[in-house]
Amino acid sequence: MSTLEIKDLHVSIETDQGTKDILKGVSLTINSGEIHAIMGPNGSGKSTLASTIAGHPRYEVTKGEILLDGEDVLEMGPDERAQAGLFLAMQYPVEVPGVTMTNFLRTAKTAIDGEAPKLRTWTKEVKQAMETLRIDADFANRNVNEGFSGGEKKRVEILQLELFKPKFAVLDETDSGLDIDALRVVSEGVNRAHQENNMGTLLITHYTRILNYIKPSFVHVFVDGKVAEQGGPELADELEANGYDRFLASAAASV
Amino acid sequence: MTETPEKVAGVEVGQRRISIPGFTEEGENLAAETNSAADHSHGGLGKPKEVTAGAGSRANRHTGFDLAHFPEPTGREEEWRFTPLKKLAGVLSDTPTQGAGTDQEAVNYQVSGTVEGVEVSSLGHGDAPRGDVLQPADRAAVVGYRNAERALHLKVTQNTEVAEPIRVDITGRAAGARANGHIVIEAEPHSRAVVVLEHRGSADFNGNVEVKVGDGATVSLISLQRWEDDAVHVGQHDAEVGKDATYKHVAVTLGGSTVRLNTNFRYAAEGATAQMYGLYFADAGQHIEHRTFVDHNSPRNSSDVLYKGALQGATARSVWVGDVLIRKEAEGTDSYEKNQNLVLTDGARADSVPNLEIETGLIEGAGHASSTGRFDDNHLFYLMSRGIPEDIARQLVVRGFLNEIVQKIEVPSIRESLADDLERELRISGH
């Protein structure tokens, strides 16, 4: 049983117009086996939270803490965070020139586990996971994400999620740009990782569509860099019916 | 990293095979357009010097043995405009370095042990086949030709198949001391051999190499530039590829302060396959320049050129100029050339200039491509977010990128040592 705690997190970025505060005091606690959905309008800071947890250098934490089982995550580099059991499925997975998927997956797995996976079982495991996610076998020989379509990139993110077996995964708008079949395949992958590894999940999304496949036990509404409201799955239904207007109105009123 | 297909006179030539609408018997000379428009400079600082001479068809480029026809370059000539000429003062001068002994002494040659069917001798000026294949195309090549008193002659006799690579170790003895070298490789018909030239140490080295590939012969020449940081190396490597022969030239340039290699192919008849591959890693302060020229001067031959390089460090510099000329008589030609660069740090500069001239439409294929990609913070973050430490992430990218060339080298010991070299190169700038 592991716990990921986010306490009063304040994050800013440097822009051409100067420093911009994005997160303004976010607190969340996720335990193993829990699925938390974070919903909210564009620009509310959802993706900033995801990138900050993964350790993207662009985001500066000005206040607050992120703790994984009591360990200070903010002191760790991005590689150490992944080794500690955090995983970010990116909204825009990066194309890496010159590195084949096969080589990448094996190198990452070795770094995360601290030892090289046994070649024969590993090759089989990768092949099976690719089949289940309906990723063409040919992808193994292609460079990481190079020339993949948006949907293919998302499947490959989930492939890594299944192979690396993190304690906690942050899915940053994994559903965007997916057709209905791909959405189902990807959701099944997340659910498998959830069941088999007791993974804790932070699911970031605009839409409730993915929540038909991945059932959250907690829903947090993000507005203007803060959690505006928390609840159970029924909160997602309400958002589906009424949108974010009432949150935006109150945020505007408080300015 | 994305390929940039080139459009020359409205014809897309960036693909493996091109089809040129309405392009049949007459052909078209694309040289003027490629020379003026296709200056593929990517990334980095500085500006290439303006061209004032030498532009135009590769077919018109002067070659010969008379030094008077090759004045000291000013840096404005097409073939010299990227090169740091100050560094080349020694190798462009027609007189030996003072106090450095004769030209022969500045460099030590060591040829691997006797092999049956391989004759090792030396050739003076006027001794055939010295100068049969070599066609000096710039001042450095003529200076080298005139000043190399004896040429090393390696002859692989007819039908001989040499299992082990024939090694020539060329070791410079002193930085700044000029050395002129000349190697003549003759592969008689239906012979088979791999020749490895390994350059180490320090010198101002000017080395001409000429290779006559006999009918039906299979020859690989692997030229390794593993110089010390203060070495200078210019060289022209010419080959004439015989009927149904297979020739492969691989240039691997890792060391040296300035290295400029001109590799030129032409054909004796038909049915030959010729490949030019190159791998380079430029660090801060290094200038690495490769110029390739495939002269499709006879029908139904194929050529494939692929050079890949990585650059790291604020003043790292690489140049690739790839000329392919498909002459009017070269019907049925199949040719392709590509250069790819991977820029690892800010301030490095890779110039990449593919020139394709096609004088007949009756060809199987002709294409060229050039791309320069950056390894940037987003790549690094992606790999690190998967648990991969920064130094391993860089190695992964560079090795993966260059591996395509490494795999073309048929000598396992060289492939293995290159892996170590690349690891060392990546450590140099502190990553």
Side-chain angles (χ1 to χ4, degrees):
Chain A
M1 168 83 180
S2 289
T3 307
L4 180 65
E5 292 172 277
I6 298 159
K7 294 181 177 174
D8 192 28
L9 192 67
H10 288 67
V11 174
S12 63
I13 58 165
E14 292 299 320
T15 69
D16 293 342
Q17 288 79 44
T19 305
K20 193 175 173 212
D21 296 324
I22 312 263
L23 297 187
K24 302 167 181 172
V26 174
S27 296
L28 272 179
T29 300
I30 307 164
N31 295 306
S32 291
E34 292 178 357
I35 298 176
H36 293 242
I38 292 187
M39 306 189 66
N42 282 327
S44 58
K46 304 186 302 293
S47 287
T48 296
L49 177 64
S51 296
T52 304
I53 293 171
H56 195 289
R58 182 162 181 238
Y59 299 90
E60 195 197 342
V61 177
T62 53
K63 195 181 166 193
E65 290 181 297
I66 302 177
L67 302 173
L68 175 59
D69 294 331
E71 296 277 327
D72 186 356
V73 169
L74 297 176
E75 284 294 303
M76 304 176 189
D79 50 336
E80 295 166 317
R81 297 180 194 204
Q83 290 160 15
L86 297 179
F87 181 87
L88 169 64
M90 294 192 193
Q91 187 179 359
Y92 303 108
V94 179
E95 301 191 4
V96 185
V99 184
T100 62
M101 285 299 303
T102 303
N103 197 0
F104 162 67
L105 292 173
R106 193 177 52 234
T107 307
K109 182 69 175 171
T110 305
I112 289 167
D113 289 2
E115 59 176 353
K118 286 204 177 64
L119 198 58
R120 200 191 301 164
T121 49
W122 172 247
T123 309
K124 211 169 134 190
E125 201 180 328
V126 171
K127 198 166 168 252
Q128 266 172 7
M130 287 178 72
E131 269 172 27
T132 319
L133 288 164
R134 294 187 215 159
I135 298 167
D136 197 297
D138 170 55
F139 275 53
N141 301 318
R142 290 168 59 180
N143 288 337
V144 176
N145 291 322
E146 207 171 77
F148 296 9
S149 73
E152 287 162 346
K153 285 179 183 169
K154 296 296 176 70
R155 287 178 204 226
V156 165
E157 293 291 284
I158 302 307
L159 172 71
Q160 296 170 47
L161 175 81
E162 289 205 69
L163 293 170
F164 300 160
K165 307 188 195 317
K167 290 177 185 161
F168 291 97
V170 181
L171 309 180
D172 189 8
E173 297 194 21
T174 297
D175 52 340
S176 65
L178 293 184
D179 62 33
I180 196 73
D181 291 327
L183 183 64
R184 187 184 307 120
V185 167
V186 159
S187 301
E188 285 167 3
V190 175
N191 288 332
R192 271 194 303 276
H194 183 238
Q195 281 153 20
E196 289 168 17
N197 312 324
N198 199 29
M199 181 177 80
T201 305
L202 195 58
L203 180 69
I204 291 171
T205 182
H206 273 301
Y207 309 106
T208 52
R209 194 177 61 150
I210 194 171
L211 305 183
N212 296 327
Y213 300 96
I214 303 174
K215 301 284 184 195
S217 22
F218 306 91
V219 175
H220 311 265
V221 181
F222 244 57
V223 178
D224 192 30
K226 277 187 283 204
V227 178
E229 191 163 324
Q230 317 199 42
E234 71 287 349
L235 183 53
D237 297 335
E238 195 223 305
L239 289 172
E240 178 72 1
N242 304 324
Y244 297 112
D245 280 357
R246 72 177 168 98
F247 299 106
L248 291 173
S250 65
S254 70
V255 169
Chain B
M1 183 156 35
T2 49
E3 297 274 311
T4 356
E6 303 304 332
K7 277 210 168 182
V8 176
V11 178
E12 196 165 285
V13 292
Q15 302 300 317
R16 181 68 187 88
R17 307 230 169 221
I18 57 165
S19 68
I20 306 172
F23 197 89
T24 52
E25 308 268 338
E26 288 305 306
E28 186 181 1
N29 192 331
L30 302 176
E33 286 85 351
T34 51
N35 278 328
S36 61
D39 185 355
H40 305 258
S41 299
H42 301 276
L45 307 163
K47 249 188 168 172
K49 292 160 244 174
E50 300 254 319
V51 186
T52 57
S57 173
R58 188 66 208 237
N60 301 329
R61 183 83 56 88
H62 177 74
T63 63
F65 294 93
D66 185 355
L67 193 67
H69 283 112
F70 297 95
E72 288 266 7
T74 62
R76 287 187 295 278
E77 301 81 0
E78 167 62 26
E79 66 265 43
W80 291 108
R81 65 188 175 116
F82 296 110
T83 317
L85 284 167
K86 276 183 193 157
K87 299 262 187 72
L88 299 191
V91 289
L92 290 173
S93 154
D94 201 33
T95 50
T97 314
Q98 277 204 331
T102 70
D103 276 350
Q104 305 282 311
E105 286 167 347
V107 159
N108 177 50
Y109 291 86
Q110 194 81 43
V111 183
S112 60
T114 38
V115 181
E116 203 179 328
V118 180
E119 294 169 8
V120 182
S121 62
S122 81
L123 302 171
H125 282 283
D127 295 345
R130 181 176 179 178
D132 280 2
V133 171
L134 186 77
Q135 296 178 347
D138 63 21
R139 183 177 174 89
V142 184
V143 166
Y145 184 82
R146 287 162 54 90
N147 291 284
E149 199 182 319
R150 309 290 302 176
L152 174 67
H153 183 209
L154 298 172
K155 180 153 98 176
V156 185
T157 55
Q158 191 154 349
N159 299 321
T160 297
E161 296 200 1
V162 186
E164 288 295 306
I166 302 163
R167 296 189 56 97
V168 182
D169 289 306
I170 299 158
T171 309
R173 288 173 164 155
R178 189 185 73 159
N180 287 294
H182 191 157
I183 299 175
V184 180
I185 299 166
E186 215 183 345
E188 291 195 331
H190 307 289
S191 63
R192 183 180 277 267
V194 176
V195 180
V196 179
L197 309 180
E198 176 142 14
H199 303 87
R200 287 186 182 273
S202 297
D204 279 7
F205 183 68
N206 186 342
N208 288 320
V209 176
E210 51 184 318
V211 184
K212 191 178 176 70
V213 185
D215 294 352
T218 301
V219 175
S220 293
L221 177 67
I222 301 164
S223 183
L224 305 172
Q225 285 67 247
R226 284 174 160 150
W227 297 105
E228 295 297 323
D229 289 344
D230 51 8
V232 171
H233 181 184
V234 295
Q236 181 171 329
H237 292 191
D238 283 7
E240 186 184 89
V241 188
K243 185 174 168 27
D244 298 326
T246 301
Y247 179 60
K248 174 160 71 180
H249 182 282
V250 185
V252 176
T253 305
L254 304 172
S257 86
T258 300
V259 175
R260 178 183 140 116
L261 278 188
N262 295 353
T263 305
N264 307 312
F265 287 0
R266 62 179 189 275
Y267 300 87
E270 305 186 1
T273 301
Q275 299 157 326
M276 284 185 195
Y277 300 123
L279 180 164
Y280 47 92
F281 196 118
D283 298 316
Q286 270 189 307
H287 175 98
I288 294 179
E289 178 168 343
H290 294 98
R291 288 172 174 260
T292 60
F293 174 39
V294 181
D295 187 351
H296 279 280
N297 57 335
S298 63
R300 286 170 288 283
N301 292 300
S302 78
S303 67
D304 183 29
V305 179
L306 177 63
Y307 270 68
K308 296 184 94 167
L311 295 91
Q312 171 171 279
T315 53
R317 188 74 201 276
S318 76
V319 176
W320 175 80
V321 180
D323 295 341
V324 172
L325 170 61
I326 302 173
R327 294 181 191 260
K328 190 158 176 48
E329 57 268 36
E331 292 178 2
T333 288
D334 192 0
S335 93
Y336 191 69
E337 62 168 348
K338 181 159 86 171
N339 173 230
Q340 292 180 298
N341 296 294
L342 181 63
V343 177
L344 297 168
T345 57
D346 285 344
R349 179 189 166 104
D351 284 284
S352 182
V353 187
N355 294 312
L356 178 59
E357 295 176 66
I358 309 174
E359 294 176 348
T360 171
L362 300 174
I363 56 172
E364 290 288 314
H368 67 191
S370 161
S371 70
T372 297
R374 283 182 65 83
F375 181 66
D376 65 22
D377 291 345
N378 288 321
H379 299 127
L380 186 62
F381 176 67
Y382 188 79
L383 295 174
M384 288 182 74
S385 78
R386 272 52 178 150
I388 302 172
E390 181 172 351
D391 55 339
I392 300 193
R394 282 183 188 278
Q395 276 180 35
L396 194 66
V397 168
V398 173
R399 273 200 204 172
F401 176 70
L402 297 176
N403 198 38
E404 191 178 356
I405 303 296
V406 175
Q407 282 171 343
K408 310 246 186 227
I409 298 173
E410 54 269 80
V411 184
S413 62
I414 296 177
R415 286 200 302 270
E416 284 155 27
S417 62
L418 278 177
D420 296 342
D421 286 335
L422 293 177
E423 209 164 303
R424 206 162 31 246
E425 292 282 353
L426 283 163
R427 274 204 301 269
I428 286 174
S429 75
H431 288 293

